[in-house]
Amino acid sequence: DSGVTQTPKHLITATGQRVTLRCSPRSGDLSVYWYQQSLDQGLQFLIQYYNGEERAKGNILERFSAQQFPDLHSELNLSSLELGDSALYFCASSVGSSVTDTQYFGPGTRLTVL
Amino acid sequence: GNSVTQMEGPVTLSEEAFLTINCTYTATGYPSLFWYVQYPGEGLQLLLKATKADDKGSNKGFEATYRKETTSFHLEKGSVQVSDSAVYFCALRDVQGSSNTGKLIFGQGTTLQVKP
């Protein structure tokens, strides 16, 4: 158990819908990262927050957005869903954002868009 | 840009065989390097890491050495077990310009199957 929690574990929805994925980092960690794992793209970085502020953006679609709240939990919002958004979404956390900080991953949320 | 390349899988070995999974990287500066493992139906777990050249990371019998001259971080284990069957990801920790974002860049993953 990494100490990072993600809910829900599974999500099945239809095209055009909007969903929210939630992540609680390890106690004391200030950085939260979101990654998408799909069969065709592999594991890709989406976005990072550090202590409530956006720190970096990766290959995140405009239909996707995220935020980190004062209690440091984070939410990833996916809207106007398409079939291609079906994937495993991981959250990770680390103490800071130093290159030597270890990122600890949650169990993931499996999103299926029908 | 920075990238990680892993050997193609799946890799199929008999129990107690020697394992090598090759990983090479392209990066500017001095990234940190990681191996993560993903067991079936689970999230990623950190297996080992190395933060500077010539560092050797080790854990649970797995080892990898940060080789800057060959830009490699190959994963090795002397004697694999059935329980080692999983997907292994090599990753580097990216330093973006003057802002240390710390995002991970992953290889495509290598599936290891160990047969009794």
Side-chain angles (χ1 to χ4, degrees):
Chain A
D1 185 354
S2 67
V4 179
T5 60
Q6 290 186 248
T7 56
K9 194 173 177 62
H10 300 281
L11 203 46
I12 301 174
T13 188
T15 54
Q17 296 298 305
R18 173 189 169 95
V19 297
T20 298
L21 313 184
R22 182 187 169 102
C23 168
S24 293
R26 295 187 322 152
S27 176
D29 284 0
L30 298 179
S31 271
V32 170
Y33 307 78
W34 286 96
Y35 293 87
Q36 179 194 58
Q37 184 179 33
S38 62
L39 283 175
D40 54 347
Q41 299 287 336
L43 260 167
Q44 292 214 334
F45 168 74
L46 295 178
I47 197 164
Q48 176 201 2
Y49 279 82
Y50 176 78
N51 203 20
E53 294 187 0
E54 182 183 303
R55 179 61 69 92
K57 263 186 175 180
N59 299 322
I60 187 166
L61 300 171
E62 286 191 9
R63 301 184 284 108
F64 295 2
S65 65
Q67 54 184 326
Q68 185 179 27
F69 294 86
D71 67 352
L72 300 178
H73 91 271
S74 177
E75 293 181 356
L76 179 67
N77 299 297
L78 315 176
S79 62
S80 302
L81 285 167
E82 301 175 0
L83 296 177
D85 297 328
S86 296
L88 198 49
Y89 292 84
F90 287 110
C91 166
S93 74
S94 65
V95 170
S97 61
S98 165
V99 70
T100 58
D101 288 342
T102 296
Q103 290 184 28
Y104 295 90
F105 282 75
T109 293
R110 182 168 295 282
L111 173 67
T112 302
V113 182
L114 301 175
Chain B
N2 297 347
S3 65
V4 175
T5 301
Q6 289 181 236
M7 66 187 287
E8 294 279 336
V11 174
T12 303
L13 296 173
S14 297
E15 208 164 21
E16 298 184 4
F18 185 85
L19 168 71
T20 300
I21 300 178
N22 290 337
C23 171
T24 57
Y25 67 91
T26 301
T28 55
Y30 301 93
S32 292
L33 301 174
F34 303 81
W35 277 101
Y36 281 84
V37 58
Q38 185 177 27
Y39 297 102
E42 299 185 13
L44 283 84
Q45 300 177 23
L46 177 68
L47 184 58
L48 52 84
K49 72 176 186 180
T51 58
K52 61 182 187 295
D54 299 325
D55 266 3
K56 178 186 282 189
S58 60
N59 185 26
K60 298 180 183 178
F62 291 90
E63 292 183 340
T65 301
Y66 189 145
R67 301 280 187 206
K68 190 163 176 60
E69 64 275 13
T70 54
T71 62
S72 65
F73 193 54
H74 304 321
L75 182 68
E76 296 182 336
K77 186 175 185 184
S79 176
V80 293
Q81 305 299 312
V82 172
S83 57
D84 293 326
S85 298
V87 182
Y88 292 81
F89 292 92
C90 184
L92 69 80
R93 189 80 186 258
D94 191 24
V95 178
Q96 184 172 303
S98 60
S99 172
N100 189 348
T101 67
K103 70 179 183 183
L104 285 167
I105 296 174
F106 287 91
Q108 66 268 43
T110 302
T111 299
L112 170 65
Q113 296 177 337
V114 181
K115 297 189 174 181

